[in-house]
């Protein structure tokens, strides 16, 4: 580290540098990265691939989204609870939306897509551990449709605590959906009791 007024000619020579933490006893650490609950859950084993198995395409209940919906933006949300006594070790989100989306966790934008020709044909995975908290959480998706074509959102979030036990959130009829944006709808404290259930469009494939 040097001051902005220092110049190379003012630097100390290597012989005068102070070297520290060379003794192995000076180093201590606690692993806080990915745990390996593979024996309990093959999908979450180290190097395992998150899939959309058990997820359902979902949309706002209008017409038949499997065939055609009006152009516009729809809003889907799902609250879930994480154990207060078990810190989150890792959390991954896999999703796609036909046609475009912005996804939020507890009011924070975690991923955004832009419409293109094959929207909905490829899912993307995002590390979302920094956005989760003990207790009540909410996963929210702002989904856009190009209109006069099928539409749907499909997602899976898997959060694992230090105990290796996963909490799953998948798109299905347990989600709430709306066709108008309401202030605060991406916050865990938002009351979505008046929102209808999302339309379940069936499993992927």
């Amino acid at each position: 580290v040097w001051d902005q007024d220092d110049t190379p000619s003012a630097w100390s020579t290597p012989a005068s540098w102070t070297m520290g933490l060379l003794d192995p006893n000076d180093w201590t650490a606690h692993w806080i990265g990915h745990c390996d609950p593979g024996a309990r859950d093959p999908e979450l084993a180290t190097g395992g691939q998150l899939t959309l198995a058990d997820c359902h395409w979902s949309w706002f209940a209008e017409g038949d989204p499997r065939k055609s919906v009006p152009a516009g933006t729809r809003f889907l949300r799902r609250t879930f609870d994480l154990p207060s006594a078990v810190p989150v070790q890792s959390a991954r989100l896999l999703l796609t939306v036909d046609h475009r989306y912005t996804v939020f966790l507890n009011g924070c934008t975690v991923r955004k897509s832009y419409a293109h020709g094959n929207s909905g044909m490829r899912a993307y995975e995002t590390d979302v551990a920094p956005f989760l908290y003990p207790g009540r959480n909410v996963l929210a998706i702002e989904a856009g449709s190009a209109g006069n074509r099928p539409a749907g959102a499909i997602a899976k979030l898997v959060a694992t605590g230090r105990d290796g036990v996963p909490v799953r959130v998948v798109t299905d009829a347990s989600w709430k959906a709306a066709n108008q944006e309401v202030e605060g709808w991406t916050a865990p404290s938002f009351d979505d009791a008046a929102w209808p259930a999302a339309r379940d469009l069936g499993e992927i494939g």
Side-chain angles (χ1 to χ4, degrees):
V1 178
W2 63 89
D3 186 81
Q4 62 181 356
D5 295 329
D6 287 346
T7 61
S9 62
W11 294 356
S12 300
T13 62
S16 66
W17 291 356
T18 299
M19 304 296 287
L21 296 178
L22 296 181
D23 188 321
N25 293 325
D26 292 334
W27 294 84
T28 60
H30 175 68
W31 178 250
I32 58 172
H34 176 68
C35 62
D36 184 5
R40 303 185 188 185
D41 193 339
E43 186 178 51
L44 295 180
T46 301
Q49 182 179 4
L50 198 62
T51 73
L52 292 173
D54 304 323
C55 302
H56 289 214
W57 289 98
S58 303
W59 198 254
F60 179 70
E62 56 185 346
D64 186 352
R66 292 170 296 185
K67 297 179 180 179
S68 178
V69 298
T73 304
R74 304 296 180 256
F75 307 90
L76 301 97
R77 54 175 274 130
R78 171 72 153 77
T79 57
F80 59 98
D81 293 315
L82 294 178
S84 58
V86 183
V88 173
Q89 181 88 348
S90 65
R92 299 152 65 189
L93 172 67
L94 182 68
L95 87 158
T96 189
V97 174
D98 189 356
H99 191 54
R100 63 185 180 275
Y101 64 86
T102 302
V103 60
F104 307 88
L105 261 173
N106 297 321
C108 298
T109 302
V110 297
R111 191 171 188 96
K112 185 180 180 72
S113 76
Y114 296 92
H116 51 78
N118 62 346
S119 294
M121 298 299 291
R122 181 175 179 181
Y124 292 89
E125 184 175 318
T126 305
D127 177 4
V128 294
F131 303 96
L132 296 176
Y133 305 97
R136 179 58 52 92
N137 292 260
V138 62
L139 174 59
I141 302 174
E142 180 181 301
S145 167
N148 300 318
R149 54 174 287 174
I154 191 165
K156 175 185 284 184
L157 185 153
V158 181
T160 307
R162 290 184 181 175
D163 58 359
V165 178
V167 173
R168 280 185 172 78
V169 179
V170 301
T171 44
D172 55 23
S174 67
W175 284 55
K176 295 296 190 74
N179 60 356
Q180 293 184 345
E181 185 172 14
V182 181
E183 184 177 357
W185 74 281
T186 64
S189 59
F190 178 78
D191 184 359
D192 60 12
W195 284 28
R199 174 76 61 83
D200 187 329
L201 308 177
E203 296 182 354
I204 191 167

